[in-house]
Structure formats: C-alpha cells, structure tokens
Amino acid sequence: MFVRRNVTSLAAAVLSAVLPTAGCAGRAPVPEPASAAAPSAAARHGHVEGATEAAEQQSRLLVGDGTTGETRVLDLITGRVHETSRRAGLTGLTTDGRFGYFHGPGGVHVLDGGAWTVDHGDHMHYYRAKIRDVGDLPAGTGASVRGDTGVTVVTGADGRAGVHSRTDLEKGATGTPTGLPGTYAGAVVPYAGHLIALTEDGAGPARVVVLDRSGRRVASPESACEDPRGDAVTRRGVVLGCADGALLVHRDGGAFTAEKIPYGAEVPRAERAAEFRHRPGGTTLTALAGKSAVWVLDVTGRAWTRVRTGPATAANTAGEGAPLLVLESDGALHGYDIPSGEETAVTEPLLRDAPGTGPGRAMAPVIEVDRSRAYLNDPAGRRVHEIDHNDALRVARTFDLDVRPSLIGVTG
C-alpha cells in the first residue's frame, strides 16, 4: 500500500497522537475511590484497560471486500493498513464509533477498530487501543445493528431483537444477548440510556415505544409513522424515516417526546428518504431523493431541503455550513450549497468505473465524513480518496489498497 498526493503532515499527526492530554479542567483530576456508586475518573472518561489517551481524534477506516471477504483497518493518522479477518459473503457494514459490524448470511462479525471518542458535551477525549476481532453475533440476512457506549442491539428481519453488553465487546467477547419481548418495525436504536423502537399492530401506522435496556416499556409518546424506513442518532434525538417525513424522538428532561418533521407535500415512495447518512453526532442528515436529487434534513431547524443534483449515487455532509457532497454518475464528487442548491465545486472523475444511480443498490460507493475530511471508496480502483470538503473538494490523499473497498466505515 502506498499513499499518493499526500499534502498533510503525517509526522505532526503521529507526534500529537502520542502526547498525553491534560485533564478536563487543564489539570489532572483528583482520584476518587472506585465503587458502583462512584466510578473512577478513568472509567467516567471512557478509559479501558490497555487503551491510550491521545491529543486528537484517532480516525480509522474499516474496509471490507465484498468479493473475497477480506477486511482491513486503515489508520488515517499513520497511513498504516492492518490486515484483519476474512469472512465470506460480506453484504454490509455498520459502525458505532468504535466497532465495525460486518454483515453476512451467517451472522454479523464484530471488529474492534481500536479507536474511539468520549463526548463530554463541551470537550472530547480520544483513545486508541489494539485492533482485534471480537467474534460473531447471531443474525440472519437483513439484520440491523445499532450501538452506543452501553449496548449493541441486533434486530433481525423478523423484528426480534437482542441486546449485547458493550462491556463484553470491549473485553473481546460477544457475550450472551438479552432478548427483547415482542417484534419491532425496523431497527431498535439505543438512545439516552434507553431503546427507541417502532411497533405495529396491523391496524394502523407504526408507533414509537421507549424501552429500558432490559426491554420493559417505559414510555409511548404520541406518534404515527407510516411505512418506516431509515434511522439516525443525532445530538437532537433519534430520527425515524416515515412516509410523510420524519419523526424526531428526543428526551426533554425526564420525558420522551416524538415530533413530526413533515416533507410538506406528498412524496412518491421511490423519492422518500430511506437511508440517512451524516457526520457522527451531526444534526444535518442526507438521503437520496430518487435518482437526481438529495434530501437534506436540518434536525435543529426541523426542515427538509430537496437539492436537485445530477444522477446521484451517494451523498453526505458534515453539516454546519459545510457543502452537500454528492457522488454522481460521472464518477466525480460534486459540492452543493444547501440553502441555494447551487453547485460550488466538482472534482475530476475519481472512480475507475462510473457508479450506478439511485437507492437500493448493493454495496454501492459511499461517502463517509468527519469535521474536516470526506472519504470516498473506489472498489474497482482498489483505493479510497480523502477529500478536504472545506477546500473546494481538494483531494488530500489517495490510499491504494490490496483489496476492493466495497464496504467502508469510519471509527474513532
């Protein structure tokens, strides 16, 4: 593997990654006795035995080859590629900020990416540890996986769900899941120490239920979601895609509420938001809106914007004034100003084979984003492009790989 067009200083990044960080208030915290009621300062800040705290985010790119089943971890700080396990029949990849969940017909393989961020609201803590294979979670074709810092939930295509302890995964074991009662429409999503789910009784639209981590129903906010598809966790709450727009489920004090964010007009099913993509923790979501447009959902402003583009394959945005990034059928990445819909930048064609367009395509190229960079996979070219989306879509680095990166996901 080698890196071309590298215009960033990896040496500086590596040096900062190994420098120790100060405490939250600029000085080391005073140690407290460890107990169930008062966890240690290290535990409160996300420390896990064997991990090292770093001065900056330790981004890593998980890669899966859907043809051979090979997987890799690309360290975006050092540029080093780590060879990991092989799992035949890879069909999808889900990440939760630390772990990668590689989907296949025989289950979901868990890979610890070895890097994560602990969000304290007004500041962050960054950690790195060894990359390792954890094991397999029982799941069939079509299962979904959603996780947070406490649990990982696997929801099968039949609507049945099981809850796995995050502590087990951090220790390198899958553990025994706790089964949730009943069945659910779509993925069960961990949020705010609870689980957000949709239930259907066959007599009307799906409705939101809030469960505790053992599966006991604790709230049923007033809601209705026809034809649920797609979900995302943001700082403002959980977004669930519905036929007439989205439901935003959030906790206000000790109570959970469900608020509809409507499209404002009837939208054909083929043009509805069915799969959301966004910067982790961001509040601006994107989704393909048919073949030649992209939906942008401003969760904070409770508003949808439909941006007309060329034939679109993938989309994403870092939000907060960043451009809308759209991979189009010409193989180039296009940038759009979201409020006006005007195209502001475009790259040269980056993909060796021009991608197909529209939703529902298996293992199509995707765009992953963080605050300063975007990552676009080129399976046919066996490479991943790193894009500076704050600098007219400048190609900052290109990583050549020994596998086809048909699946990618950012952790750290």
Side-chain angles (χ1 to χ4, degrees), residues 201-220:
D201 59 11
R207 298 190 178 276
V208 173
V209 294
V210 181
L211 313 174
D212 66 17
R213 294 293 166 98
S214 67
R216 181 175 64 91
R217 185 177 300 192
V218 297
S220 300

Side-chain angles (χ1 to χ4, degrees), residues 30-361:
V30 177
E32 298 177 5
S35 69
S40 69
R44 286 198 306 272
H45 288 77
H47 177 75
V48 175
E49 184 177 356
T52 301
E53 188 167 1
E56 63 179 357
Q57 185 170 348
Q58 301 297 292
S59 297
R60 289 172 175 174
L61 194 71
L62 308 188
V63 175
D65 186 328
T67 302
T68 65
E70 299 285 348
T71 65
R72 300 287 187 270
V73 178
L74 169 60
D75 190 322
L76 295 169
I77 299 295
T78 66
R80 179 185 175 189
V81 176
H82 300 260
E83 185 172 341
T84 48
S85 63
R86 181 181 183 277
R87 288 293 187 276
L90 295 181
T91 58
L93 170 61
T94 307
T95 61
D96 64 8
R98 174 175 177 176
F99 295 94
Y101 305 95
F102 288 93
H103 298 249
V108 174
H109 182 69
V110 185
L111 176 64
D112 185 348
W116 64 96
T117 297
V118 178
D119 185 351
H120 283 265
D122 61 343
H123 68 281
M124 307 285 189
H125 289 261
Y126 308 109
Y127 296 94
R128 60 187 294 132
K130 290 183 178 180
I131 298 165
R132 60 180 174 180
D133 291 293
V134 176
D136 297 317
L137 305 179
T141 302
S144 61
V145 182
R146 303 290 185 268
D148 67 2
T149 58
V151 296
T152 295
V153 184
V154 180
T155 309
D158 60 0
R160 298 188 179 278
V163 180
H164 294 260
S165 167
R166 175 69 169 247
T167 301
D168 288 338
L169 299 185
E170 291 172 348
K171 293 178 179 178
T174 57
T176 302
T178 299
L180 298 180
T183 59
Y184 303 94
V188 176
V189 182
Y191 167 69
H194 293 74
L195 305 174
I196 307 301
L198 287 166
T199 61
E200 292 177 315
D201 59 11
R207 298 190 178 276
V208 173
V209 294
V210 181
L211 313 174
D212 66 17
R213 294 293 166 98
S214 67
R216 181 175 64 91
R217 185 177 300 192
V218 297
S220 300
E222 185 175 347
S223 61
C225 185
E226 191 80 44
D227 189 23
R229 291 190 298 166
D231 59 87
V233 178
T234 76
R235 286 180 176 270
R236 304 294 181 185
V238 177
V239 173
L240 304 171
C242 308
D244 57 353
L247 269 179
L248 173 63
V249 183
H250 58 100
R251 186 172 64 178
D252 185 5
F256 286 87
T257 62
E259 178 182 353
K260 182 59 66 72
I261 308 177
Y263 288 124
E266 186 174 347
V267 177
R269 192 175 195 272
E271 297 179 7
R272 298 172 191 164
E275 181 181 354
F276 296 108
R277 300 197 71 84
H278 68 306
R279 175 176 58 80
T283 58
T284 305
L285 310 185
T286 67
L288 297 183
K291 293 184 178 180
S292 298
V294 174
W295 286 113
V296 179
L297 175 58
D298 177 358
V299 179
T300 301
R302 311 294 200 266
W304 292 91
T305 300
R306 190 174 187 270
V307 179
R308 298 190 64 84
T309 65
T313 297
N316 211 331
T317 183
E320 301 172 0
L324 170 65
L325 306 176
V326 183
L327 175 66
E328 300 186 10
S329 59
D330 58 2
L333 192 64
H334 297 248
Y336 291 86
D337 175 67
I338 294 173
S340 69
E342 296 294 324
E343 184 175 273
T344 57
V346 62
T347 68
E348 63 182 10
L350 297 176
L351 271 64
R352 180 167 296 177
D353 292 339
T357 62
R361 295 148 296 104

